[in-house]
Amino acid sequence: MQEITDRIERGYKLFWNNRKNKSKASPPNFKKIRNYKSFTLKQAGWSLNEARGMIKLGQKWYHYFKSRNIEGSVKTVTVKRDSVGDIYVYLVCDVNVQGIIERTGKIVGYDFGLKKFLTASDGKDIESPLFFAQSSKIIRNKCKNLSHKKEKSHNRKRARL
């Protein structure tokens, strides 16, 4: 309930700020359920069993893949669904970071570029990752397979996802 009321409050604050600035704005309205890709649980509604790798949402326990150890105290739990339908659980933790960051006293400036991803003022440049070039062969094969599927079929829907 807290997340829903926060979303409604943010929508109305944006609406009233836009009205003050004389811009055309309409009040927030209800969204379709398929448009929501995430929900956040702040203080209640979840329980964590880190030893077994399980999280309790509502009345049901779910297994999760633990990518790293949880440090500090968990503040919020966000459950997100991506376009393929995979579900991810994000835990936001409050961690004491004193002593972790070392201060060197050096200042570095970065500039985004076209030939190099980042150009640093101290000479340590970072090259572009070129994600599309790395996966262009896979994308080409997937698109070709999709074009061979029959329109409005379950196989086409699965290939599109």
Side-chain angles (χ1 to χ4, degrees), residues 124-135:
K124 296 179 183 175
D125 298 340
I126 300 172
E127 294 294 327
S128 297
L130 300 174
F131 295 118
F132 183 75
Q134 292 172 0
S135 58

Side-chain angles (χ1 to χ4, degrees), residues 49-109:
N49 186 345
E50 193 176 354
R52 294 180 60 200
M54 297 182 77
I55 187 168
K56 184 178 182 183
L57 300 172
Q59 299 297 322
K60 220 170 172 188
W61 285 94
Y62 297 96
H63 286 280
Y64 67 91
F65 174 76
K66 187 164 75 170
S67 60
R68 66 181 77 168
N69 291 328
I70 298 171
E71 299 173 8
S73 59
V74 179
K75 292 296 182 186
T76 62
V77 175
T78 302
V79 180
K80 288 191 176 189
R81 182 183 70 226
D82 65 0
S83 59
V84 179
D86 296 334
I87 297 174
Y88 298 93
V89 176
Y90 295 93
L91 304 173
V92 177
C93 300
D94 187 21
V95 180
N96 187 6
V97 292
Q98 229 173 4
I100 293 176
I101 302 170
E102 295 179 11
R103 304 274 178 174
T104 59
K106 298 179 182 176
I107 297 173
V108 179

Side-chain angles (χ1 to χ4, degrees), residues 4-151:
I4 293 169
T5 55
D6 286 348
R7 285 184 181 188
I8 292 170
E9 183 182 8
R10 268 184 273 146
Y12 272 106
K13 279 185 179 178
L14 185 64
F15 167 66
W16 290 114
N17 285 340
N18 287 341
R19 291 287 296 257
K20 283 181 189 175
N21 297 334
K22 307 273 193 228
S23 65
K24 189 176 180 181
S26 60
N29 53 5
F30 289 102
K31 306 286 191 271
K32 294 180 180 172
I33 195 166
R34 69 173 176 254
N35 291 344
Y36 283 103
K37 302 292 185 209
S38 69
F39 66 92
T40 301
L41 302 168
K42 290 189 175 183
Q43 297 164 351
W46 60 273
S47 171
L48 189 66
N49 186 345
E50 193 176 354
R52 294 180 60 200
M54 297 182 77
I55 187 168
K56 184 178 182 183
L57 300 172
Q59 299 297 322
K60 220 170 172 188
W61 285 94
Y62 297 96
H63 286 280
Y64 67 91
F65 174 76
K66 187 164 75 170
S67 60
R68 66 181 77 168
N69 291 328
I70 298 171
E71 299 173 8
S73 59
V74 179
K75 292 296 182 186
T76 62
V77 175
T78 302
V79 180
K80 288 191 176 189
R81 182 183 70 226
D82 65 0
S83 59
V84 179
D86 296 334
I87 297 174
Y88 298 93
V89 176
Y90 295 93
L91 304 173
V92 177
C93 300
D94 187 21
V95 180
N96 187 6
V97 292
Q98 229 173 4
I100 293 176
I101 302 170
E102 295 179 11
R103 304 274 178 174
T104 59
K106 298 179 182 176
I107 297 173
V108 179
Y110 285 100
D111 185 31
F112 288 102
L114 295 175
K115 294 186 179 179
K116 294 191 181 208
F117 181 62
L118 286 174
T119 304
S121 61
D122 65 349
K124 296 179 183 175
D125 298 340
I126 300 172
E127 294 294 327
S128 297
L130 300 174
F131 295 118
F132 183 75
Q134 292 172 0
S135 58
S136 62
K137 191 181 288 186
I138 296 168
I139 292 171
R140 186 171 60 241
N141 287 336
K142 298 282 183 186
C143 287
K144 189 165 71 172
N145 288 340
L146 177 66
S147 69
H148 290 225
K149 305 290 183 200
K150 189 175 178 181
E151 289 283 331

